[in-house]
Each structure stands twice: as structure tokens, then as C-alpha cells.
Amino acid sequence: FVQAGAGQLPKARRVYDVVFLDPPYHQKLLPAALESLRAGGWLAPDAVLVIEHDESETVVLPAPFSCVD
């Protein structure tokens, strides 16, 4: 369990296959959080991320992330 700023995660000590994200709604924090996870080495090559967001919010995933609904 890590609680940190969306774009300021420390370097990972290990990689994870499953990550749950629940950023504050409508604040556009998701791209920074995803980039921080990727750059910090948190994600296994085929990691699955479960992202909670408001249904009225348009979510745009940066490369190399893709949505599986």
C-alpha cells in the first residue's frame, strides 16, 4: 500500500501485476499517476490497472495504456 501524490511516486522496490487507482474525480490526475507508475517501475509488463472514476468523466489514457472494459 502506497499513499503519495499522483505524479510523485517513489521508485518501486518491486513490480505489481494488479494496481487499483481511485484518484479524486474531475481533477485530471490520472495521466500523471499513470506516468508516475510507469516511470517508477511499478508495473509488470502485463499489469492490469483498475481505475475508478465518475461515469460523467471522460478518461483519456496516455500511451502505452489501453482500456479493457
Side-chain angles (χ1 to χ4, degrees):
F1 177 81
V2 173
Q3 187 173 0
Q8 302 170 359
L9 293 174
K11 294 289 182 192
R13 293 185 201 160
R14 60 173 285 199
V15 298
Y16 294 88
D17 296 310
V18 179
V19 175
F20 294 89
L21 295 171
D22 187 10
Y25 297 163
H26 303 288
Q27 293 190 24
K28 302 188 186 322
L29 296 174
L30 188 56
L34 293 173
E35 177 56 25
S36 187
L37 286 167
R38 189 198 61 73
W42 288 89
L43 305 174
D46 292 324
V48 173
L49 285 75
V50 179
I51 302 168
E52 187 170 336
H53 64 89
D54 187 88
E55 66 181 323
S56 68
E57 188 173 12
T58 300
V59 175
V60 177
L61 300 174
F65 298 96
S66 62
C67 181
V68 178
D69 198 9

